[in-house]
Amino acid sequence: MVDVDSYRLSVAKSLGADDFVKVSTNSQDVDEEVIQIQQAMGNDIDVSFDCAGFSKTVSTALNATRAGGKVCLIGMGCNEMTVPLTPAAAREVDVISIFRYKDTWSLCLEFLRTGKTDVKPLITHRFGFSQEELVEAFEVSARGGDAIKVMFNL
Ligand SMILES: *[C@@H]1O[C@H](CO)[C@@H](O)[C@H](O)[C@H]1NC(C)=O
């Protein structure tokens, strides 16, 4: 697990992530962080999931993933990016994507039903459904930080 936020990383660790690397938002740090991520994994990285969608995060995923591996783009943080795509293509790293978690719902519901996954620790904030609370909830979610899943009580 890789993130800029220590709280999110600690939650990931408590939920079973083998290891984590805290990264910066500075593109200059990619090469050093790729080494840290590869060391933390201890093995070649077959698949990376980018859940942020910025030049820096996708560059990190492309450079950290082994030759012949896959990078799945999930986060959509910005429309245009500058990433080291040609070197990744030369290593035959496949870039794949998923939009709105298509076709993953039934598997997720099965994990919830059987108790295989406990998602409650991911719910960090709950709000009512008034106009003020709606605005506050979106602000909390957009701020990031310790907000992981922000829920509304209907
Ligand atoms: C990523 O890998 C490529 C190819 O090795 C390298 O040119 C580039 O500097 C690396 N780092 C970034 C941030 O793109």
Side-chain angles (χ1 to χ4, degrees), residues 27 30-31 59-60 63 83-84 87-88 91:
S27 292
V30 168
D31 292 342
S59 296
T60 301
N63 278 16
V83 299
R91 294 186 302 109

Side-chain angles (χ1 to χ4, degrees), residues 110-154:
E110 184 63 14
F111 283 177
L112 292 174
R113 191 186 65 73
T114 58
K116 219 173 193 172
T117 305
D118 179 15
V119 295
K120 287 192 187 92
L122 298 175
I123 301 170
T124 54
H125 296 76
R126 286 184 180 276
F127 290 91
F129 214 58
S130 70
Q131 182 66 35
E132 298 75 36
E133 287 169 303
L134 281 172
V135 171
E136 192 186 347
F138 278 99
E139 285 171 356
V140 164
S141 182
R143 224 177 4 250
D146 68 350
I148 297 177
K149 291 295 170 203
V150 177
M151 306 291 283
F152 294 107
N153 295 322
L154 299 178

Side-chain angles (χ1 to χ4, degrees), residues 15 30 32 59 109 115:
L15 291 174
V30 168
E32 187 186 320
S59 296
L109 289 172

